[in-house]
């Protein structure tokens, strides 16, 4: 009981009501549990094992990735992940649907991983981001532009490839995954949560405890780099 | 006028919907005229979609088995995880009652002990002796329908809201009140009617609201 209160107390205050959403956040839908989330929680509370299995299958790899961003060692990350699942099960009855189930679960993991990282004297890579964001990293290689800012070497057409086809090609997939792994930790965290795991910007800011502006700068740099990698993999015949 | 190079730095602001109206107008004007930048924007969108299609790292089978086993051990993950004994059940219900609404529990306890005192003194004559039958009728009239509704709701895995619980109990209590108008010989005595007839309806309503708020009658299976 006390366990579940702890976890929910840690997560809840950070999820703001839709009213407090910043202006113009058109790209990020208002947080809140969907009817599917509520139904899933009901099934979990009723002890349906299939519901838990689907939850685990859906979130486990994303959660492990996030844990690995806080904790370099895999064993520690896996331990935090186990703790998170137990905390989720024990805290389910206090899930109020103010955030999506996904944000709630990811938030519990982030809090636990952060606490553990601090306890182990590790610096958490996402809190000291403001400075890291200052130096200029162009989205596109400047040599591809003319002095007047127009394209000298314009982007090629990708129309023959779809995302589905791209990830089926082993070489493209390998290079993309390698490029993600080589991103600076903060950019990797943001782009993974946003684009791979599908959280919205507000949720990513809450989970990583970074500002909205910071989140956007990091996302921009990460996406720009990954686009460059894909541009080299794409089939333009 | 926005250059192509500048546009590539603004793509994320654009996709995130974080642009002022004027800036967005300039951005879209440039896009409308520049096929190369349109291609660039499409590439960025495709990059995002490709990232969403990355295959997930498969979870080791033994980790999955261990988690599912833990789920079973946790006693089906309900609100009260120690549901082995009645004692644990009552304790967790009390805990939920206190946690849910601190004000209700003391009030309910006081009222309940008053009722218990009336019954235990065994007074057969006098105002208390006359009153206990009336009070019992009211409580039974109010709380029995409430318990029935709660159990029905629990069997379909839902809960009765405090407002609905109070409504059911007050209707039941009101029915009891009407019954007492016929069966009770003391309807002319205002203190008796106020204390036991009206008080009984209010007590049943309050108890129903408190217990539905604390989910006292809700057990997940």
């Amino acid at each position: 009981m006390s366990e579940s209160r702890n976890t929910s107390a840690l997560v809840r205050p950070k999820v703001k009501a839709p009213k407090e959403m910043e202006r113009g956040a058109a790209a990020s839908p208002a947080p809140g549990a969907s009817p599917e989330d509520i139904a899933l929680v009901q099934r979990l509370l009723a002890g349906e094992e299939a519901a838990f299995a689907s939850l685990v299958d859906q979130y486990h790899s994303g959660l492990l990735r996030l844990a690995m961003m806080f904790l370099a060692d895999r064993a520690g990350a896996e331990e935090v992940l186990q703790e998170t699942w137990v905390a989720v099960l024990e805290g389910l009855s206090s899930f109020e649907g103010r955030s999506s189930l996904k944000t709630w679960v990811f938030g519990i993991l982030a809090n636990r991983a952060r606490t553990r990282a601090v306890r182990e004297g590790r610096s958490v890579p996402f809190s000291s981001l403001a400075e890291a964001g200052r130096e200029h990293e162009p989205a596109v290689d400047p040599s591809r532009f003319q002095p007047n800012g127009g394209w000298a070497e314009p982007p090629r057409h990708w129309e023959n490839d779809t995302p589905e086809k791209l990830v089926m090609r082993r070489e493209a997939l390998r290079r993309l995954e390698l490029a993600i792994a080589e991103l600076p930790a903060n950019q990797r965290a943001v782009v993974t949560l946003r684009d791979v795991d599908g959280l919205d910007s507000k949720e990513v800011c809450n989970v990583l405890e970074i500002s909205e502006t910071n989140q956007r700068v990091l996302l921009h740099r990460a996406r720009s780099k990954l686009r460059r990698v894909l541009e080299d993999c794409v089939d333009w015949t | 006028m926005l250059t192509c190079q500048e546009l590539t730095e603004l793509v994320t602001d654009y996709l995130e919907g974080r642009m002022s109206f004027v800036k967005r107008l300039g951005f879209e004007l440039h896009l409308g005229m520049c096929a190369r930048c349109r291609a660039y924007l499409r590439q960025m969108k495709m990059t995002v979609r490709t990232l969403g299609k990355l295959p997930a790292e498969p979870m080791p089978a033994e980790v999955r088995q261990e988690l599912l086993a833990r789920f079973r051990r946790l006693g089906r993950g309900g609100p009260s995880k120690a549901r082995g004994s009645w004692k644990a059940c009552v304790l967790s219900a009390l805990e939920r009652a206190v946690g849910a609404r601190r004000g209700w529990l003391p009030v309910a306890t006081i009222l309940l002990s008053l009722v218990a005192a009336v019954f235990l003194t065994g007074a057969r004559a006098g105002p208390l002796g006359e009153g206990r039958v009336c009070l019992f009728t009211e409580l039974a009239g109010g709380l029995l329908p409430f318990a029935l509704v709660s159990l029905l709701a629990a069997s379909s895995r839902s809960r009765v809201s405090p407002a609905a619980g109070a409504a059911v109990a007050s209707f039941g209590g009101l029915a009891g009140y009407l019954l007492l108008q016929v069966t009770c010989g003391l309807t002319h005595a205002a203190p008796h009617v106020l204390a036991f007839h009206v008080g009984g309806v209010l007590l049943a309503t309050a108890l129903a609201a408190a217990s539905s708020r604390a989910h006292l009658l809700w057990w997940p299976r």
Side-chain angles (χ1 to χ4, degrees):
Chain A
M1 225 37 220
S2 62
E3 176 81 351
S4 67
R5 286 221 186 92
N6 281 344
T7 52
S8 50
L10 279 171
V11 179
R12 249 184 251 150
K14 286 178 205 146
V15 182
K16 287 181 187 148
K19 228 183 275 176
E20 295 167 45
M21 291 279 290
E22 287 161 70
R23 297 175 289 110
S28 49
S34 62
E36 294 84 54
D37 279 356
I38 302 288
L40 185 59
V41 170
Q42 292 284 321
R43 286 169 61 203
L44 288 167
L45 283 172
E48 224 178 278
E49 197 175 320
F52 185 62
S54 85
L55 192 72
V56 165
D57 291 339
Q58 233 178 305
Y59 294 170
H60 197 84
S61 65
L63 288 171
L64 184 62
R65 268 197 301 267
L66 179 61
M68 294 282 286
M69 290 172 202
F70 286 96
L71 302 154
D73 68 311
R74 193 173 172 111
E78 277 170 357
E79 215 169 287
V80 168
L81 193 45
Q82 295 264 337
E83 284 172 27
T84 300
W85 282 120
V86 175
V88 165
L89 289 177
E90 287 175 353
L92 264 182
S93 58
S94 64
F95 175 72
E96 290 182 342
R98 276 194 248 168
S99 62
S100 72
L101 186 61
K102 192 173 199 171
T103 312
W104 184 68
V105 175
F106 274 68
I108 291 176
L109 179 111
N111 277 315
R112 286 172 176 265
R114 186 178 291 114
T115 310
R116 190 187 172 111
V118 169
R119 200 174 59 223
E120 290 177 359
R122 218 184 287 274
S123 69
V124 178
F126 322 110
S127 45
S128 54
L129 295 180
E131 299 79 39
R134 289 232 180 90
E135 72 270 20
H136 184 64
E137 281 180 39
V140 178
D141 184 355
S143 69
R144 292 185 60 174
F145 292 102
Q146 299 162 7
N148 68 6
W151 288 100
E153 191 194 328
R156 283 169 282 193
H157 284 277
W158 287 10
E159 271 61 27
N160 294 331
D161 262 319
T162 63
E164 290 78 6
K165 276 201 229 161
L166 263 176
V167 296
M168 288 298 283
R169 291 222 309 273
R170 196 162 294 173
E171 176 61 13
L173 186 61
R174 194 190 63 78
R175 284 172 70 171
L176 187 59
E177 281 175 342
L178 188 70
I180 295 173
E182 282 173 351
L183 288 172
N186 46 18
Q187 293 181 17
R188 190 172 71 235
V190 170
V191 80
T192 306
L193 286 174
R194 277 298 303 272
D195 294 341
V196 182
D197 298 320
L199 270 66
D200 68 38
S201 64
K202 199 89 195 157
E203 297 172 331
V204 172
C205 294
N206 287 338
V207 166
L208 297 180
E209 294 186 338
I210 58 178
S211 72
E212 206 278 333
T213 311
N214 228 318
Q215 190 261 166
R216 196 154 19 99
V217 171
L218 294 168
L219 182 66
H220 180 64
R221 291 184 178 171
R223 280 180 179 174
S224 302
K225 276 182 209 163
L226 297 176
R227 186 207 64 86
R228 276 181 299 207
V229 172
L230 277 183
E231 190 175 35
D232 292 338
C233 308
V234 164
D235 175 20
W236 35 66
T237 48
Chain B
M1 187 68 199
L2 205 61
T3 68
C4 298
Q5 192 167 15
E6 284 162 356
L7 185 135
T8 60
E9 296 297 345
L10 291 173
V11 165
T12 306
D13 289 1
Y14 177 73
L15 291 176
E16 294 278 284
R18 306 288 308 200
M19 252 184 188
S20 68
F21 177 74
V22 176
K23 237 177 163 183
R24 200 175 73 233
L25 210 64
F27 189 95
E28 284 173 344
L29 210 66
H30 182 120
L31 274 185
M33 296 185 301
C34 179
R36 296 163 165 192
C37 285
R38 280 202 298 277
Y40 185 82
L41 181 67
R42 271 200 302 277
Q43 291 187 0
M44 279 297 259
K45 285 182 177 169
M46 183 146 144
T47 304
V48 174
R49 281 192 292 141
T50 305
L51 289 170
K53 294 277 188 292
L54 281 181
E57 187 188 339
M59 187 182 353
E62 67 272 13
V63 174
R64 194 170 184 278
Q65 284 310 314
E66 160 64 21
L67 277 174
L68 292 182
R70 204 178 277 229
F71 180 68
R72 285 190 291 269
R73 276 205 304 280
L74 272 173
R76 312 251 178 275
S80 51
K81 56 181 163 144
R83 213 167 311 101
S85 66
W86 267 100
K87 203 175 146 197
C89 207
V90 169
L91 275 179
S92 79
L94 280 179
E95 197 182 355
R96 268 178 278 150
V98 177
R101 179 83 184 221
R102 280 171 204 285
W104 279 110
L105 197 65
V107 173
T109 315
I110 293 166
L111 290 174
L112 270 177
S113 36
L114 274 178
V115 176
V118 171
F119 279 81
L120 288 175
T121 49
R124 291 185 193 286
L128 285 183
E130 299 286 351
R132 65 175 184 167
V133 178
C134 299
L135 195 59
F136 180 77
T137 310
E138 288 295 355
L139 284 179
L143 292 180
L144 282 180
F146 167 68
L148 198 69
V149 169
S150 295
L151 288 176
L152 277 177
S155 73
S156 62
R157 288 184 191 146
S158 57
R159 304 172 183 193
V160 178
S161 75
V168 168
S170 63
F171 273 118
L174 227 52
Y177 182 87
L178 292 176
L179 181 72
L180 286 179
Q181 288 297 311
V182 181
T183 59
C184 178
L186 288 170
T187 44
H188 58 277
H192 170 87
V193 171
L194 268 182
F196 299 109
H197 297 200
V198 179
V201 178
L202 294 180
L203 182 62
T205 308
L207 284 174
S211 74
S212 52
R213 186 180 287 276
H215 307 308
L216 287 178
L217 285 177
W218 188 77
W219 272 274
R221 290 154 312 147

